[in-house]
Amino acid sequence: MLNWLRPQALAETYRDPVSWAILAVDLFPVYAVLQFGWDATALVFLYWLENVIIGAITLLRMLATSLRAGPFGVAGMLFIGPFFTVHYGMFCFVHGIFLAAFSAISQGSDDAPFMDPVSLIQFALGTGAHMALFAAVIVALQLFLFFRDFIARGEWRESDVMVEMTRPYGRVVVLHIALFVGFGVMIALGQPMLGVLGLIALKALWGMYQAHRRHIQPQLESVEKVDEPSPI
């Protein structure tokens, strides 16, 4: 599991300039903390916005994969696409409300905010200076990875709509559990800067792991194809 932390594995992963771009995006919030005074609320809502963005990218991946099945696949997306949008959207919405409640608690307020999805996104974009710019950079990076890895490299031909639909949920669960734990510890210890930097480091480590997986995925697929038995 931790083989990706070996120096050789990291060196191979970071021969790709895109891996450095991903790491820069993950560490850029340090600059926002030092330059713009971002607090933990702004940071966790940046990560929440990233989950929303990844949901939109997932829809694009599902649509591209559905093209393999021709008109029937596209017709199926007329049902699966809206289902995913509502289900994943509600998933993110509930997590966003919890984050907003944690934010209120950390600021000494007893009022748990209740917002609609659009207001929640607007609230998230207003939690830190230049938040919209940070979100736009994440959108640009995710679109680049979508077109380079999923479209240009032909990953869409090897995937499945249902696989793509379920892919972002694990990431959201793991990340948000970590965020809730980190946010709670930060409140308990009363050390906001330590908590913020810890969350950034956690997110950067997750990004390094994902970059390594992205690097070795084509190699794994090549090995699997070689190991496939020849038809008789």
Side-chain angles (χ1 to χ4, degrees):
M1 176 66 179
L2 295 178
N3 286 338
W4 63 276
L5 285 174
R6 292 184 297 109
Q8 182 179 358
L10 290 174
E12 293 176 356
T13 298
Y14 284 92
R15 288 194 182 102
D16 181 5
V18 176
S19 296
W20 285 105
I22 295 171
L23 182 61
V25 170
D26 286 338
L27 292 178
F28 205 64
V30 175
Y31 178 79
V33 170
L34 299 177
Q35 186 68 26
F36 306 134
W38 275 24
D39 57 10
T41 298
L43 184 65
V44 295
F45 269 105
L46 174 68
Y47 296 155
W48 180 82
L49 286 168
E50 184 178 10
N51 287 332
V52 174
I53 292 166
I54 287 176
I57 297 297
T58 298
L59 270 177
L60 292 179
R61 293 170 67 100
M62 290 167 61
L63 179 60
T65 302
S66 71
L67 296 176
R68 291 172 50 205
F72 291 103
V74 176
M77 272 297 294
L78 296 177
F79 169 75
I80 299 175
F83 172 80
F84 170 78
T85 301
V86 172
H87 190 271
Y88 184 80
M90 289 301 298
F91 197 70
C92 288
F93 176 68
V94 170
H95 278 102
I97 290 297
F98 273 115
L99 290 176
F102 267 104
S103 173
I105 293 172
S106 68
Q107 296 174 7
S109 173
D110 295 329
D111 296 330
F114 180 79
M115 294 168 277
D116 59 83
V118 174
S119 298
L120 185 58
I121 291 176
Q122 293 174 340
F123 175 81
L125 290 173
T127 53
H130 306 291
M131 178 69 75
L133 177 60
F134 279 74
V137 170
I138 294 174
V139 170
L141 178 61
Q142 291 297 327
L143 283 174
F144 175 81
L145 294 174
F146 168 73
F147 285 110
R148 188 196 70 163
D149 296 343
F150 201 70
I151 300 300
R153 292 182 177 176
E155 292 181 6
W156 64 278
R157 298 189 184 93
E158 307 295 332
S159 189
D160 178 83
V161 172
M162 299 306 294
V163 170
E164 293 301 327
M165 184 176 71
T166 58
R167 194 183 299 275
Y169 288 94
R171 176 190 185 279
V172 173
V173 170
V174 172
L175 182 58
H176 274 282
I177 288 176
L179 289 177
F180 284 139
V181 172
F183 209 10
V185 171
M186 182 196 68
I187 294 173
L189 296 178
Q191 296 291 335
M193 181 57 67
L194 182 62
V196 167
L197 295 178
L199 290 176
I200 294 173
L202 177 66
K203 180 61 170 56
L205 285 172
W206 176 259
M208 292 170 65
Y209 172 67
Q210 291 296 317
H212 176 68
R213 283 183 56 86
R214 188 177 293 107
H215 172 72
I216 67 172
Q217 189 65 32
Q219 303 172 22
L220 295 177
E221 292 175 354
S222 298
V223 171
E224 290 174 356
K225 289 180 180 178
V226 171
D227 291 341
E228 287 179 358
S230 301
I232 300 176

